[in-house]
Amino acid sequence: MSQIQGWTLGFIIVTFALYLGIAWRSRVKETTGFYVAGQGIPTVANGAAVAADWMSAASFISMAGLIAFLGSDGSIYLMGWTGGYVLLALLIAPYLRKWGKFTVPEFVGDRYSETVRTIAAVAAIIISFTYVVGQMRGGGIVFSRFLGLDITGGVIVAALIIFAYAVLGGMKGITWTQVSQYTVLIIAYLIPAIAVAQQATGIPIPQISFGQILDELNAMSVQMGLSQFTEAFSARPQIDVFLVTMSLMIGTAGLPHVIIRFYTTKTVRGARYSAFWALFFIALLYTTAPAVGAFTKLNVLEAVNGVAVDALPAWVDNWAATGLITFGENVTTIGSVSNNPASGADLIVNNDILVLASPEIAGLPAPIVGLVAAGGMAAAMSTAAGLLLVISSSFSHDLYFRRVKRDSTDKQRLLAGRIAMGLAVLISVYAGINPPAFVAQVVAFAFGLAAASFFPIIVLGIFWKRCNATGAAAGMVSGMVFTAAYMIYTLEVFGTSAHAHIFDISPEAIGTIGAIVNFIVTIVVSKMTAPPPEEISEMVENIRYPAATRRTVTAGTTGDAA
């Protein structure tokens, strides 16, 4: 075992023991504790848990790598994923928290109908499953490099650990585990970023100092067959940049596993402050990611430019052993680099390795390399656990209890939820081993599906009394089917061949169009059919005042005081 593998194994064992210990001590036996932590999580802690839930393997492992190769076009991920939290904090979180239900499908069911609840539950499961595939892949990448496993073994090990503590603790265990995971991942991200910035520029503030290397990076990128890092719309058409940003933004505001976090606070005001703290904690990583991408890309290009294949640095061979770095045919000297296997470049570098490889590339000590690996696993595990809980709650609450066995006990519903978690893990392991795209792109697909399904009916459900169940059902199905069909059409999934993008719209961007389809269909069908009952209008009136004093909703749901 190498020194790097030893430190990595040590960090992962210690941090996993911490996570599992917290999950065990926080284990619950009742559904309120399992799904919303008894609504007793402090605001700052909930903000940290939201941040950990949010900053998945896509944010920690993949985003900086995408920014490195997309350049300024990679800002779509920064603007979309952070901007969405503004929408979430202003338009959705406080209102749903006042409603006081466990899951998004429950709100949809009470606002519209049981049929719409069932559609929403199925949509939540599909979205969460798509998202969790990226986390399984991220965990597999970490294990494949640092613990000497192949990608299959890495994904399986990560899945087993995620399943164990998600099943043990439910939302209460996951919340406190994610607070610790945020601490681990942010330390693991910032320490090497600060060290590399100090090494390259003498200024240990990466968010500022990376500006000093951009001219050199632009020149080196062109020399190695890449676009300039600062050149706008070089990697994506302008329309696609706009649509992807919007899809990620409204997908954030409609993502089930994030929204459910705001049910765990003590008050409506706590839900608002949780959104603030989450933005602060997320900003620590998101303002650092462009610097990590720029510094690492420059280090990679300088390390391989004009170097013979048999004289490349050791880190190239280490990652080549995982299959995430490959060489062009008959290459003897590296003269070009790309992240696209079809580019014909001499060296093909997978986006998803750059953050994990960054300390190794910069020649930092083995403990820092091991710490980054532990941070990557913390990011993947924290989000995957929350996603599995959405799958569990949607199945047990909204499908099993509502549609199969109305007289089921708490124990039976918890068992059904945990079985659903297990099945989701088994399926996502296979998809994580054979993903349709890079980790961050797979996650972006989940956001597109959330944008096209949940966002329109939640916003209309809160702010438009005339929206009815028939319209919501038609809109959600139309948006979801349209978006999923386009993704399948343009990607190699389920054995299909990839087709060209229509009007330069990528599968990550189609969620915006799907949301527009949902809005139009919902509004038109609602106008053409009977209005909702008067008690529904009163219900909507009640939840539109998140700061109001305690009031009783006609349907029997009591809003809590701010």
Side-chain angles (χ1 to χ4, degrees), residues 6 8 67 158 163 176 229 247 266 302 368 418 488 498 507 542:
T8 300
I67 292 172
F163 178 70
W176 290 110
F229 185 82
S247 179
K266 296 178 180 179
E302 288 181 337
I368 295 182
R418 285 164 173 164
I488 293 172
N542 188 61

Side-chain angles (χ1 to χ4, degrees), residues 388-405:
L388 289 174
L389 194 71
V390 170
I391 293 172
S392 170
S393 59
S394 295
F395 180 81
S396 63
H397 262 287
D398 304 307
L399 295 180
Y400 178 72
F401 173 62
R402 295 284 179 176
R403 292 294 186 181
V404 178
K405 193 173 183 180

Side-chain angles (χ1 to χ4, degrees), residues 309 326-335 344-347:
V309 171
T326 56
F327 300 93
E329 293 184 9
N330 304 317
V331 172
T332 58
T333 302
I334 304 301
D346 297 334
L347 186 69

Side-chain angles (χ1 to χ4, degrees), residues 16 19-25 27 34 136 156-170 173-174 177 381 384-385 388 418 421-422 425:
F16 282 7
Y19 307 151
L20 292 172
I22 292 173
W24 177 257
R25 288 179 62 86
R27 66 192 185 280
F34 190 79
M136 295 301 180
I156 291 172
V157 171
L160 290 174
I161 296 172
I162 290 166
F163 178 70
Y165 78 76
V167 166
L168 278 176
I174 288 172
T177 300
M381 291 172 62
L388 289 174
R418 285 164 173 164
M421 272 190 186
V425 167

